[in-house]
Amino acid sequence: MTQIQNRTLPPLNPLKAFEAAARHNSLTLAADELNVSQVAVSRQVRVLEDYMGVTLFRRLNRGL
């Protein structure tokens, strides 16, 4: 079994932030949709990355 299979479900807010960012391919557009700051979305995605132990996005100077 992998580590993820042994854990509980991921926290909902980071999962929502990741889904919006992935769909828009933009932290800023995800933030607009969720009515939070871009920094808040970035931090939520980081929480999910830490929880899962993988990098979900490659962060670049001008986007994901």
Side-chain angles (χ1 to χ4, degrees):
M1 286 192 176
T2 65
Q3 286 182 331
I4 294 174
Q5 290 174 338
N6 292 332
R7 296 182 181 181
T8 60
L9 292 175
L12 182 57
N13 283 339
L15 198 56
K16 286 169 43 177
F18 166 72
E19 185 277 330
R23 187 165 22 89
H24 291 294
N25 202 30
S26 167
L27 296 175
T28 303
L29 293 176
D32 289 343
E33 177 182 321
L34 298 171
N35 296 315
V36 297
S37 69
Q38 180 270 334
V39 173
V41 173
S42 180
R43 287 181 181 164
Q44 289 296 307
V45 171
R46 179 77 62 199
V47 166
L48 189 59
E49 288 175 332
D50 291 345
Y51 178 85
M52 297 183 74
V54 297
T55 301
L56 298 171
F57 288 120
R58 189 173 339 158
R59 289 161 174 83
L60 307 171
N61 287 342
R62 298 299 264 160
L64 299 176

